[in-house]
Amino acid sequence: MTPPVLAGLAGAALVGFGLYGLILHPHPLRKLLAFNLIGSGVFLVFGIVARRGAAAGLPFDPVPQAMVITGIVVAFAASALAVALILRLAAVSGKVTLDPEAWAKTPSTRPDGGGGQ
Amino acid sequence: MSALFDLFSFAAIGAGVFFFFAGTVGLIRFPDSLTRLHALSKADNLGLGLIVLGLLPRADSALAAFKLVLIWALVLASGASTAQLIGRALRRGQK
Amino acid sequence: MSVLPILDVGLAFLVVGLAAWTVAARNLFASVVGYVAYGLLLALVWIRLYAPDVALTEAAVGGGVTGVLLITAGKRLGALEKDEAGATPALALKIVAGALALFVAGALAWVVVTLPDPAPTLAPAAAAAADGPGAGLGNPITAVLISYRSFDTMLEKVVLILAVIGVWSVGADSAWGAAPAPLGRPQPAGAMVLLAQILAPIGALIGVHIFWVGADAPGGAFQGGALLAAMWMAAMMARLTEPPRIDARWLRLALVAGPAVFLVIGFAGLGLAGDFFAFPPAFAKPLILFIETFMVLSIAVALPLLVAGPPNGRSAR
Amino acid sequence: MNELLLAAAGLIVLTVAVGLARILRGPQDVDRLMAVQLLGTGGIAALLLTAYATRVPGVDDVALGLALLAAFTTMAFLNHLAANEEEADR
Amino acid sequence: MTPLIATTAGGPLLVLAILLPAAGVLLSLALGGRAAEKVALGLTPLGFALAWLIAMQVAAAGAPLVYAIGGLPPPLGIALRADGISAVMLLVTAIIVAAAGFYARAKFATPDGTAESRSALTFWIMLQAIWAALNLIFVGGDLFNLYVALELLTFAAVPLVCIDGRPETLAAALRYLLFALFGSICYLLGVALLYGAYGTLDISLLSQRVQPEAIVWTAAALMTAGLLAKTALFPLHLWLPPAHANAPAAASAVLSGLVVKGSFFLALRLWFYVLPALPSAAPGAVLGALGSAAAVVGSVLALRQARLKLLVAYSTVAQIGYLFLVFPLGLGAHAWSALGWGGGLMQILAHAFAKAAMFFSAGLLAEALGHDQIAGLRGAARALPLTFLTLGLGGLSLMGLPPSGGFEAKWLMLRTSAASGQWIWSLPILAGGLLAAGYVYRILAPALAEGEIELRARPQRARELIALALAMTALVLGFAPQGFFDFIEIGRPLAAMSAP
């Protein structure tokens, strides 16, 4: 098997594992890790598309590779925002559950508006 | 001359691979964190050092050779410092 | 005898195995560590796909900066782990999710393996245009990022800025304007200070080097900026320097510098070369390097701020 | 000779990968982290060997980047050990 | 069909429409504090003028405007395109963003004595960022560039949800972020496959190359699933109600009225513009069925809510459902497709205006009463007549009563389902309308009843009038002339084939 095919299969497996984790894990940080797994699987698909597009003396098609670089930046920014939200949630409430039922049971007393804490 | 260089490369790289192997065995088999740390440091410093040494004759420019040495130096500095920090933390009984 | 295929298969299994561990681990921190190791290995995979530019990005961001972000979060949330984040999923849900994941992965694998042959590609177009709008840049990826897909690259920096503001915005009202919490312990150990003192200047030089060669060889604004960012973070972890106040004028200007300079030169393109974001051929390379210099600055500032988190403490100076 | 370099690279990656069993077994977070550090060093060695075997440009720069960041996650981890300790003291 | 890849007259306006609010974001952050509000509000007339100019140019040319960025045409470069629906959406966005901005001044003013406040800076910057992202979505011509636009939209919208910092809003924002990230990564995977198959991501070039084959179906399924998650179509709607109901009213209006339309617009682009070569009956039926389920389930859930803002948010879930009927009713080159297309577009517009007006009113109500419990509304209409007039007019459009825009949309859809023999789609349209009447009645009936009510504060007349103006606009849409429907046909790939 050539590296592109191998990487393509690996990418598909990563998307599968990530999807499973994203659906099932209740913990938001675990969901974030799973999302990142899907992300890198998707980037690998771009990677094999780029490698297969080798032509005209270039060993790869530069366009998908450039897209991966853009994508990695965006994925990192997303992780940072999610981590900030998770840590803040843990700090103000002592728990990190996303279940809306759990929040409905303990309504905040502050009226609409206000800010910070 | 070139055959001699190849032989040297081969020997050094082979020794490097061995130290990585030894380090891994130590990490897996040694009974407690401090001794595992010791095994890890050996692999870090010696294994990579020998590989770098083996590749040096094959570097085709002074810059490439400099990069090789720099990489080793960086890993050495990082490994030494973190080993000391981890060791201190372990001695104070943290995990 | 060829060892390369064996190496590739081994690498692929390792990567997939670590991904499985990240999903399956019971312990939150063990899962995080698995993911960090996975990020390191991905850099090797990218080399095997002939993508050193991506490998460099993955090494700097995936292995380095993301590692610090996640390890910090994992360690801080570790204390909460006993607290249930929600009920454990029922077996039925597990089966449904597993079947769905299997189906998606299977379909994707099949499609990827049967991609058309010969593959459609823009590589010849990019290579042919290298002397024209590609502005004599030896690295076609840099040409694509700054010239052909300038709009993506400029807006992606705006995304980075929005993420920084988003991270700041989860802080307390009373803390607004103050600096984020320090990244390091109050009294850092000597070894860490020494390490940061060694790493930071060398790393800064390497970052600039990688940015500079990026015009013609693997590397570029993002990779260089990410390494500079990592070095600033190292200095902050050793308390050689502190996170800046988020209302500092220089910080705001550094954050917007990259996209703003890109935008201004893009506008000027209408007058100079007849189109928005067009570069006059005679000045293309210096203009692109000029834009990239500010991009490096913005990236080097934005990434550590994303890791440092919202402002902390009281805002009064 | 290039084949030998690649074989060495493969051996190193597979060897340190065995060390990843420490991530699974722990028992402490420090042990897990040590396995990652070994993987990082092994990865750098494998990258260098690949760089010299295949002559793909830029691979040594990737190794340089990894070497710079080798201690990164460990530094972050150790900082949080200290933070936890202070909380325990209080 | 000639490929739309070379710059046309008026093309530079498209770049300006995106870069104006983007520059506003950068300027607001650099200047900080009070300047952010001034920059944001100052840009609204300029942005509206630009949208107006673009609409005029499109109408004059009778064809889409195109701009190849940097003078570098696709496939290597990126093109922007504005057709009839782009121009309409640019105008609607400019109006609602401006309305939200002026409405929000009272809440997001920087307090005296502080140089800069957290919530104010965040709100004004994110409002402009949403505007920039939406404008790019409406005129983007490259699927990867549109991915960047989607992410821009996500990163701008999420912080608005948790701007007040309460734990439940943080949880809602986090859920929203995770759904949105999942959506964009699915979309991106589809983009990768399309590039792998055809070597271009330009919408007009792709539409000429796409064949009905496995890789295209996979890509289409992934991209559609991702966009559905972002649009909150049933059963991926779970994130929307807590997020939209907990945000401040000005932000809710933008999120419900505009932001979910961004990802829906991309779904339209995908199926009508990228994939017209695919047989559309089966995917249209699936999307229509999901939409029907959303219309019914969303309305039933809206009926059961105790809080006004949650009711309005669940109503969004239901109204999004109607939008998806455009796929069975508008896809394909049939004689009746233009009717269904017009109905779908009208539904986007009517819902955008009506829902923004209702969230504005709900916000005013909550400020005046100190709560937004429906049970506590008894007698409120007497105290706040303008606010309840707005709620009633908005409700009229949601129910689909004449002469509102909502009526026009549903009337067109009903006519299409009859003309096409797909009468089955008329059932959810009618059922949803009845249920909507139920939940609007639940708000209005107690409010109109006799009762004493104590106001904490009287809402500002200007803010009430902004909400009323939007509700009136939703109403007036019902009188849209034929010229409007001709205009939104400009650039629709199948328009030539399906003209009646």
Side-chain angles (χ1 to χ4, degrees), chain E residues 196-434:
Chain E
Y198 302 111
T200 182
L201 291 174
D202 182 76
I203 290 176
S204 107
L205 290 179
L206 263 180
S207 69
Q208 294 162 24
R209 300 183 190 175
V210 164
Q211 303 291 326
E213 49 192 347
I215 190 165
V216 176
W217 284 111
T218 314
L222 285 165
M223 293 168 86
T224 309
L227 293 171
L228 295 192
K230 281 185 173 262
T231 314
L233 180 66
F234 177 86
L236 298 170
H237 65 284
L238 292 170
W239 62 265
L240 187 145
H244 286 193
N246 283 319
S252 303
V254 173
L255 294 173
S256 239
L258 293 175
V259 171
V260 288
K261 307 297 190 325
S263 42
F264 175 75
F265 188 90
L266 280 192
L268 283 185
R269 273 276 189 258
L270 178 67
W271 284 99
F272 284 81
Y273 292 77
V274 181
L275 307 170
L278 291 193
S280 57
V286 171
L287 290 172
L290 288 176
S292 305
V296 174
V297 173
S299 301
V300 170
L301 288 172
L303 269 171
R304 297 173 45 188
Q305 297 308 313
R307 275 185 54 206
L308 179 59
K309 282 187 81 180
L310 265 174
L311 183 152
V312 182
Y314 272 103
S315 149
T316 297
V317 173
Q319 297 286 321
I320 285 168
Y322 289 122
L323 290 177
F324 281 83
L325 291 177
V326 77
F327 291 99
L329 298 178
L331 260 178
H334 307 286
W336 39 264
S337 298
L339 268 186
W341 174 249
L345 256 289
M346 184 53 84
Q347 170 68 12
I348 298 185
L349 304 187
H351 178 247
F353 284 110
K355 195 45 63 76
M358 291 185 83
F359 265 122
F360 284 164
S361 305
L364 292 173
L365 202 66
E367 281 171 31
L369 301 179
H371 69 83
D372 72 338
Q373 299 291 327
I374 295 170
L377 290 183
R378 207 171 167 75
R382 232 166 271 267
L384 301 162
L386 265 184
T387 299
F388 276 90
L389 178 63
T390 308
L391 279 171
L393 292 178
L396 213 62
S397 188
L398 294 188
M399 284 185 262
L401 288 188
S404 64
F407 166 74
E408 179 77 21
K410 281 166 198 171
W411 176 237
L412 285 169
M413 286 186 180
L414 284 174
R415 275 172 62 197
T416 318
S417 58
S420 63
Q422 304 181 75
W423 55 268
I424 184 99
W425 302 122
S426 56
L427 295 180
I429 297 175
L430 294 172
L434 280 177

Side-chain angles (χ1 to χ4, degrees), chain C residues 77-91:
Chain C
L77 291 172
L80 276 176
E81 218 192 333
K82 303 290 180 293
D83 172 85
E84 82 286 16
T88 357
L91 184 66

Side-chain angles (χ1 to χ4, degrees), chain E residues 433-452:
Chain E
L434 280 177
L435 289 167
Y439 60 71
V440 173
Y441 175 80
R442 268 197 68 208
I443 311 170
L444 294 183
L448 291 169
E450 291 284 337
E452 282 300 309

